[in-house]
Amino acid sequence: MSTIFTKIINREIKADIVYEDDNVLAFNDVNPQAPVHVLIIPKREIATLNDLTDADAEVVGKLHLVAAKIAREKGIAEDGYRVVMNCNEQGGQSVYHIHLHLMGGRQMSWPAG
Ligand code: AMP
């Protein structure tokens, strides 16, 4: 089932887009948890990490390459940053279209709550 992220991909609702190619879109999180908080998503609708197949390996790798590229562009690559993908309820997932959170610009703590 489609989510709000499909509407962002299709430009039916606005987002602050920071990267786009044929398969991947990245945009600022509307409720940022850090000075840099970007969501990186495949354009293909994949609900959760559990739904990945071998055919998705390339795009999932690409999400990480785009995260590192955006981190460099935002000037946080050397200080460091966090990438997270939440899965299902106990993982804290709220939008069922997989997305990598790129967060940085402040000290992260571990373990995350
Ligand atoms: P998760 O809880 O891991 O599924 O993350 C979903 C993220 O999507 C949250 O950090 C929300 O703040 C973010 N989000 C929800 N709607 C939008 C939107 N329209 N534009 C940008 N970010 C959004």
Side-chain angles (χ1 to χ4, degrees):
M1 204 177 83
S2 293
T3 71
I4 194 162
F5 289 176
T6 297
K7 291 191 166 68
I8 291 174
I9 293 166
N10 294 334
R11 306 306 202 266
E12 290 163 18
I13 66 166
K14 274 195 188 305
D16 190 5
I17 291 170
V18 298
Y19 176 89
E20 181 167 25
D21 64 27
D22 288 348
N23 302 308
V24 174
L25 187 72
F27 50 90
N28 287 323
D29 196 296
V30 76
N31 182 23
Q33 302 301 310
V36 174
H37 189 169
V38 176
L39 302 176
I40 304 145
I41 71 172
K43 287 187 174 175
R44 193 165 108 68
E45 288 178 350
I46 305 166
T48 79
L49 209 58
N50 292 334
D51 300 302
L52 291 173
T53 70
D54 288 349
D56 302 314
E58 190 171 338
V59 76
V60 171
K62 188 74 194 293
L63 300 181
H64 292 77
L65 290 171
V66 171
K69 174 181 159 60
I70 295 169
R72 283 192 295 274
E73 287 172 1
K74 301 265 185 195
I76 61 170
E78 294 309 317
D79 283 346
Y81 55 90
R82 179 169 292 167
V83 291
V84 173
M85 191 179 288
N86 298 324
C87 182
N88 277 341
E89 191 177 345
Q90 289 203 355
Q93 184 172 8
S94 61
V95 178
Y96 283 79
H97 180 136
I98 64 165
H99 46 282
L100 204 57
H101 293 260
L102 164 64
M103 290 177 287
R106 67 168 170 81
Q107 180 62 52
M108 298 290 159
S109 59
W110 190 261

